[in-house]
Amino acid sequence: MSDHTRSLSAATRTLSASALRERLSKLIPSSSLRPVAALHASIDFAPTKIPRRRRLQTMVVAAWSTLLVNSVFIFLLLCSIPALWPFLAIYVVWIQWIDKSHEHGTRLSPWFRSLKIWQYFAEYYPASLMKECYLPPDRPYVFGYHPHGIIGMGAIATFATEATGFSRAFPGIEPHLLTLTNNFSVPLYREMIMALGISSVSKQSCSNILKRGAGQAIAIVVGGAAESLSARPGTADLTLRRRLGFIKIAIQHGADLVPVFSFGENDIYEQMPNEKGTSVYALQKRFQSMFGFTLPLFHGRGLLNYNLGLMPYRRRIVSVIGRPIHTQQCDKPSIEEVTRVQTLYIEELTRIWNAYKDEFAKTRTRELSIID
């Protein structure tokens, strides 16, 4: 074979290889060929030099976010030690059939609520409280918290700790944030949340706390699981129109109703699309009907990065505690009376939104909406 023929053949092979690589690059993105490098490039990792206080804030929020899972893990770990079985058996019997503290709100610990760790928890977002008027401690109160958000971190900071200064703002009032009764069946976890004053949201629990008289208060995240499915940054879609139970309880105990709007609660997590009519929405509603709660498909940031994980974003939360709506005690209020009080309640909640939206909801994508 001549030199000219060999050089032509080599050039042809080179051109063919170049053309092949070009065509493959169009079909397969380079990131697919280097997945680790692509993942690293898409994640916004936190810098190594961060102030110690910010590190502590992140660690406390991470610990709270995984508290339930860690409590179960620790309990199962203890169960692996045979010497502890008699004590664990007694503990399980006690929490399942004997201890009813979560229905009376009697395990609140002012010392535990005032620990420094909760200050770090609130500073992470940061979360704060805005008081609009004085609430005299000579009567019971029912606080309605809106919106639910994904988890209700602002409600925890405001009503379950002293990090935002609730007791300084409203001396003489003892708040009890309410949650699902199922949470009090989780070993170890239940002890911590009860020390924070968190109690069951059952009707009996509400009644037991309010019956204790002046200065007692319950805080209900009114929208519940249904509203969490609508929690997205920049929105304020409330599930409220058919929520009459908390209003009826307030009237039955002569408690003042206090609307609370928490600006920023919906901004701390992103949620996957789940509009009505989609398979995701149908699955979530099915889950809710079976278990009493639902699981929003959400994401936030991570422990060492800013855009991938299940921790909330650092976005400001301001809980505005509005003006009380006085109720006349009535054991069996009529539906007309309940509806009348609800109308006043919605008007006050709307007033709070209109008064502060331009200050605390500058990035909103739409106005307040009561969707159900």
Side-chain angles (χ1 to χ4, degrees), residues 210-222:
L210 294 175
K211 279 180 180 177
R212 284 157 55 186
Q216 293 298 311
I218 58 175
I220 302 176
V221 186
V222 178

Side-chain angles (χ1 to χ4, degrees), residues 30-51:
S30 60
S31 60
S32 299
L33 301 176
R34 298 188 297 273
V36 175
L39 181 63
H40 190 281
S42 63
I43 297 177
D44 183 12
F45 285 96
T48 55
K49 294 183 178 180
I50 290 181

Side-chain angles (χ1 to χ4, degrees), residues 224-273:
E227 191 174 279
S228 68
L229 299 182
S230 304
R232 288 184 178 81
T235 67
D237 299 333
L238 307 184
T239 300
L240 177 58
R241 193 74 63 184
R242 291 188 288 178
R243 303 288 171 138
L244 301 176
F246 75 107
I247 296 175
K248 186 176 180 180
I249 287 174
I251 296 173
Q252 289 174 333
H253 294 85
D256 280 10
L257 270 168
V258 185
V260 180
F261 196 94
S262 192
F263 292 89
E265 184 66 69
N266 279 350
D267 298 337
I268 61 175
Y269 283 109
E270 299 282 351
Q271 186 170 181
M272 291 179 62

